[in-house]
Amino acid sequence: MAQSTNRLSRSLGLWAIVGLGLGYMTPTVIFDTFGIVSDETGGVVPTAYVLALVAMMFTAISYGRMTRIFPSAGSAYTYTSETMSPNLGFLIGWSSLLDYLLLPLVNALIIRSYMNAFFPDVPEWLWVVVYVFGITTMCLLSMTNTSRVNGLLVVFEVVLIVVFLFLAGRALTSGGGNGTLFSTDPFWHEGVHLGLVITGATIVCFSFIGFDAITMYTEEAKSPNTVPKAIVLALVIGGSIFFVAAWFTQSLFPTMSGFSEDALQNSALPEIAFKVGGDLFKILLTSAAFAATVASSLASHASVSRLLFVMGRNGKGPLSRQFAFIHPTWRTPAKSVVFVGAVSLLAIPFNLDFIAAMINFGALVAFTFVNLTVVVYFAYRKRLVSSMGQVFTNIVLPMLGVAATVVLWVNLSPDSLHYGLVWFGIGFATLLVITRFLRRPLTITMDEEEIAEVRGEVEALED
């Protein structure tokens, strides 16, 4: 079937896309990382989340603006290719693949550890195979059903977070922790300084990774104009959940005294749940964390398969055609979905520490270049710098996004930087091969009529 007549199914509404973004972000992660962040910040976890949210908001605005101009599932890959260079766009897309491909694998590793804890006599590889098969099948058959299951799982984990807030509030009013909901100590207190908060913000910033993946569903949104709204909504809703949950938790546990060393170095969720609601609530909140991992698997698996699809659609040769294949019945990028599932099976031999060291590099590359594409497209190409408002919108805001990302670059782990640069080098070598040492240009394929229509509406507003 010709690729030009075979498109992804436009079946996702605004809240379905927001749910996929929230599923990717995993709201329960606030409890997993609470011990680590509280220790790093000196007991002001909510402040770290506020700072991280502000930093991410600049980049979210840039994503929203560029997806209006280029309503394609390729995200940073497409924006960079169209505004700067297809060759550079390929490298940005390749860099992003490192994170996006590994996140479904990370979720499979987490599920493997959960199931092994409950059923130690069952071979670990079996859990990985069963889990990856289930997630791959769901993403393969229908994007609509995938979003529905994801939505149910997100609702379940949010309900459990609300139950936690109720239990924590009751404990506070009974004299626990700070003894009140209205203390300012969780936000700032003596001994805290900005350096500590920035350190904490660099940790929790990566809790927000997922809002950017929403752009991967642009070609499956019922209307491309819903995607920019979904980006901001997912970021604001996710950030609000993080902040409120962090505020209650920090109020109830001003310090981490009484917690085990494991809670300070790994996940504090089980101990927080037990201290707030006993064994029953510990089981329920752990179940919510399990559901959050499944939701994240669905969202991350679906999004990276869309990136592979777009890169394959723009490539040349038999391999590219395989990734660009859309199943005629299911209307999903079937071979890309299966490939992501195959990569996720690497959860059998690898461990979480090794894979965790390899992520975040690609996300920071994407964040940096999405902000830069706003400057290039609006300020340089369209010359929309004739007023202070345009200068602020088209230069200052995106450059603030770049600055916020630079802070994260500075605090990136050496292992993540090392593996990221190795991956980037492999991508550059691949680019040289497919372009015959840059002599054969790459091309970008999108729905030009739809892009022209959307772009015209946006430029009319900009002018």
Side-chain angles (χ1 to χ4, degrees):
M1 183 175 291
Q3 292 299 321
S4 60
T5 60
N6 198 13
R7 299 178 178 177
L8 297 170
S9 175
R10 286 201 173 276
S11 59
L12 301 179
L14 174 64
W15 291 106
I17 298 175
V18 170
L20 286 164
L22 290 175
Y24 208 129
M25 291 165 67
T26 318
T28 54
V29 75
I30 183 327
F31 304 115
D32 289 310
T33 60
F34 180 82
I36 299 169
V37 181
S38 182
D39 188 52
E40 290 286 349
T41 60
V44 288
V45 176
T47 313
Y49 272 105
V50 169
L51 189 61
L53 178 60
V54 171
M56 291 294 100
M57 189 59 73
F58 293 118
T59 299
I61 292 170
S62 293
Y63 268 107
R65 297 187 70 194
M66 295 311 293
T67 197
R68 286 182 183 273
I69 300 299
F70 303 107
S72 165
S75 191
Y77 158 70
T78 298
Y79 313 150
T80 306
S81 296
E82 286 284 346
T83 61
M84 297 181 183
S85 160
N87 290 343
L88 180 59
F90 174 86
L91 292 175
I92 301 308
W94 180 274
S95 299
S96 299
L97 273 177
L98 180 63
D99 279 12
Y100 291 133
L101 272 175
L102 290 180
L103 283 169
L105 195 160
V106 166
N107 289 319
L109 281 167
I110 293 172
I111 292 297
R112 186 189 76 180
S113 65
Y114 284 165
M115 299 308 294
N116 185 59
F118 282 106
F119 306 100
D121 295 331
V122 178
E124 292 186 1
W125 65 265
L126 183 61
W127 295 122
V128 174
V129 171
V130 172
Y131 180 72
V132 170
F133 177 80
I135 295 296
T136 302
T137 302
M138 181 65 69
C139 293
L140 187 65
L141 296 180
S142 170
M143 192 61 218
T144 301
N145 289 334
T146 298
S147 69
R148 287 173 180 168
V149 173
N150 172 84
L152 289 173
L153 295 171
V154 169
V155 168
F156 175 64
E157 59 181 299
V158 170
V159 167
L160 264 295
I161 291 174
V162 171
V163 173
F164 165 81
L165 297 180
F166 171 77
L167 295 174
R170 188 175 65 177
L172 285 167
T173 55
S174 299
N178 289 329
T180 176
L181 289 172
F182 305 105
S183 171
T184 59
D185 284 350
F187 199 77
W188 200 269
H189 55 256
E190 186 178 355
V192 175
H193 57 81
L194 186 58
L196 292 176
V197 178
I198 291 175
T199 300
T202 60
I203 298 173
V204 303
C205 259
F206 299 113
S207 301
F208 290 95
I209 292 178
F211 77 87
D212 57 308
I214 285 175
T215 58
M216 301 294 181
Y217 308 117
T218 299
E219 294 185 36
E220 289 162 285
K222 291 179 179 179
S223 168
N225 289 323
T226 63
V227 176
K229 299 175 186 176
I231 292 171
V232 176
L233 278 172
L235 187 60
V236 170
I237 293 172
S240 298
I241 293 172
F242 288 143
F243 174 75
V244 173
W247 184 280
F248 275 74
T249 309
Q250 193 75 80
S251 295
L252 192 58
F253 305 109
T255 69
M256 294 304 292
S257 61
F259 282 84
S260 69
E261 192 67 24
D262 186 64
L264 294 174
Q265 296 181 352
N266 296 296
S267 174
L269 183 145
E271 291 187 41
I272 289 174
F274 177 76
K275 291 176 183 292
V276 170
D279 283 323
L280 177 60
F281 188 65
K282 177 182 177 180
I283 293 172
L284 289 173
L285 195 59
T286 302
S287 299
F290 189 99
T293 304
V294 176
S296 180
S297 292
L298 289 170
S300 58
H301 195 125
S303 64
V304 69
S305 63
R306 271 65 186 169
L307 177 57
L308 284 168
F309 159 71
V310 173
M311 294 185 73
R313 183 176 63 187
N314 294 325
K316 296 179 175 67
L319 183 60
S320 292
R321 285 194 294 272
Q322 296 304 312
F323 286 127
F325 173 78
I326 298 176
H327 195 279
T329 302
W330 303 328
R331 302 284 298 280
T332 58
K335 294 180 181 179
S336 293
V337 170
V338 172
F339 177 77
V340 176
V343 172
S344 298
L345 290 176
L346 292 175
I348 295 173
F350 290 138
N351 59 56
L352 190 57
D353 289 342
F354 175 75
I355 298 300
M358 299 176 68
I359 64 175
N360 297 328
F361 177 89
L364 293 185
V365 170
F367 289 175
T368 302
F369 274 86
V370 167
N371 284 299
L372 290 175
T373 59
V374 171
V375 177
V376 172
Y377 183 80
F378 290 100
Y380 177 71
R381 289 197 171 185
K382 295 299 178 181
R383 306 292 182 183
L384 296 176
V385 290
S386 58
S387 68
M388 288 299 296
Q390 288 182 339
V391 170
F392 180 76
T393 302
N394 299 328
I395 297 179
V396 176
L397 276 181
M399 290 311 296
L400 285 173
V402 172
T405 307
V406 167
V407 174
L408 301 180
W409 274 114
V410 171
N411 288 275
L412 197 64
S413 73
D415 283 343
S416 185
L417 187 61
H418 171 74
Y419 290 125
L421 289 174
V422 170
W423 178 257
F424 187 87
I426 295 172
F428 185 72
T430 303
L431 176 66
L432 292 178
V433 171
I434 63 178
T435 61
R436 296 177 182 175
F437 288 87
L438 308 180
R439 292 194 298 269
R440 184 172 67 179
L442 293 176
T443 57
I444 297 295
T445 303
M446 293 187 289
D447 190 331
E448 295 298 337
E449 291 183 5
E450 181 175 56
I451 289 173
E453 180 181 347
V454 175
R455 188 180 297 170
E457 294 175 1
V458 175
E459 291 180 353
L461 292 175
E462 296 290 342
D463 291 336

